[in-house]
């Protein structure tokens, strides 16, 4: 009986197998990817953003301007879920009546619009001034343009010719001629000469 083992077969196999395993190990360690880098390269929603500076958006019906919005920075993303439009670095909106007169003016630091819902979310020092000079101040406000109403759950301050009213939560119409505070927290009567500028 022949007990000799042919070592040359094992050596040949080892010469092929060991370098192959080492190559695969090096390849596996070299193929690490940062998930953030991959997302940045493959994020289609960011690739499809439309951007512009100093934009004027006009909404009209039958040739009559209803709203004119001014924004310093405009970013629109139709591929996001849900699609949105960001207005940054200062926003101003003028709301017009049927005769072409300004009914109210809104200013805010930032706004995000959702066209499907007809909602514009305003944030950062939101101020509405109606044609009587009455003012609404809050830090967050939802403006539904379809039903022409404002909504907020945040603290509000309303200044009229005779008083300053504070509360939490509010619903108001678009020209700010009517409003309802959900939770009144205080009212201060003022003389016209004492009103803050």
């Amino acid at each position: 009986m022949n007990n000799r083992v042919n070592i040359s077969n094992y050596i040949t196999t080892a010469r092929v197998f060991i370098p192959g395993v080492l190559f695969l190990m090096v390849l596996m360690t070299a193929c690490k990817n940062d998930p953030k880098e991959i997302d940045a390269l493959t994020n289609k929603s960011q690739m499809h953003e439309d951007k512009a500076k100093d934009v004027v958006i006009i909404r009209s019906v039958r040739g009559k301007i209803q709203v004119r919005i001014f924004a310093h920075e405009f970013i629109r993303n139709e591929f996001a879920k849900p699609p949105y439009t960001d207005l940054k670095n200062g926003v101003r909106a003028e709301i017009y009546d049927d005769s072409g007169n300004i009914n109210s003016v809104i200013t805010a630091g930032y706004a995000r619009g959702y066209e499907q819902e007809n909602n514009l979310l305003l944030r950062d020092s939101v101020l509405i001034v109606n044609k009587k000079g009455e003012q609404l101040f809050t830090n967050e406000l939802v403006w539904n343009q379809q039903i022409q109403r404002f909504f907020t759950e945040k603290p509000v301050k309303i200044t009229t010719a005779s008083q300053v009213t504070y509360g939490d939560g509010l619903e108001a119409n678009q020209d700010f001629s009517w409003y309802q505070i959900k939770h009144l927290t205080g009212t201060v009567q003022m003389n016209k000469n004492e009103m803050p500028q």
Side-chain angles (χ1 to χ4, degrees):
M1 187 163 175
N2 188 0
N3 287 334
R4 286 185 174 180
V5 176
N6 190 350
I7 293 182
S8 63
N9 286 341
Y10 289 109
I11 293 172
T12 305
T13 304
R15 285 183 185 158
V16 172
F17 181 72
I18 292 173
V21 170
L22 289 174
F23 176 74
L24 285 175
M25 289 175 64
V26 169
L27 187 63
M28 288 172 62
T29 58
C31 290
K32 288 185 179 177
N33 290 315
D34 184 0
K36 291 178 185 176
E37 289 178 11
I38 293 171
D39 287 344
L41 292 172
T42 61
N43 190 344
K44 291 182 180 179
S45 66
Q46 285 185 354
M47 291 170 43
H48 295 287
E49 285 183 346
D50 296 321
K51 296 181 180 183
K53 300 279 186 187
D54 298 323
V55 174
V56 179
I57 302 166
I58 298 173
R59 182 176 179 173
S60 62
V61 174
R62 296 185 198 105
K64 291 186 177 179
I65 295 175
Q66 288 187 325
V67 177
R68 190 186 322 237
I69 300 173
F70 305 86
H72 291 293
E73 188 176 349
F74 172 96
I75 301 171
R76 183 175 185 173
N77 192 327
E78 293 182 19
F79 294 92
K81 294 181 183 178
Y84 66 85
T85 300
D86 278 345
L87 307 173
K88 297 182 175 183
N89 297 323
V91 180
R92 176 185 167 92
E94 297 171 347
I95 301 171
Y96 293 82
D97 63 17
D98 290 336
S99 302
N101 301 313
I102 296 176
N103 261 341
S104 54
V105 175
I106 307 165
T107 56
Y110 166 84
R112 173 169 278 194
Y114 297 100
E115 289 180 30
Q116 293 175 348
E117 295 87 10
N118 270 325
N119 281 337
L120 188 65
L121 174 64
L122 300 148
R123 285 189 175 150
D124 187 17
S125 301
V126 182
L127 177 66
I128 302 174
V129 181
N130 67 13
K131 61 184 175 184
K132 292 191 247 177
E134 297 170 334
Q135 300 179 3
L136 162 65
F137 180 81
T138 186
N139 276 321
E140 184 177 280
L141 191 71
V142 175
W143 176 13
N144 186 294
Q145 296 177 336
Q146 183 172 353
I147 62 172
Q148 300 184 352
R149 290 280 171 110
F150 297 115
F151 303 92
T152 187
E153 298 298 323
K154 303 293 184 184
V156 296
K157 174 185 172 184
I158 297 174
T159 305
T160 66
S162 60
Q163 66 186 18
V164 178
T165 306
Y166 299 90
D168 294 322
L170 172 132
E171 180 178 345
N173 60 356
Q174 186 170 270
D175 64 6
F176 193 51
S177 60
W178 170 88
Y179 59 87
Q180 179 179 9
I181 296 175
K182 293 183 180 178
H183 304 286
L184 187 66
T185 58
T187 301
V188 178
Q189 299 296 326
M190 303 281 285
N191 292 329
K192 193 170 184 179
N193 297 337
E194 298 174 343
M195 292 301 290
Q197 299 298 322

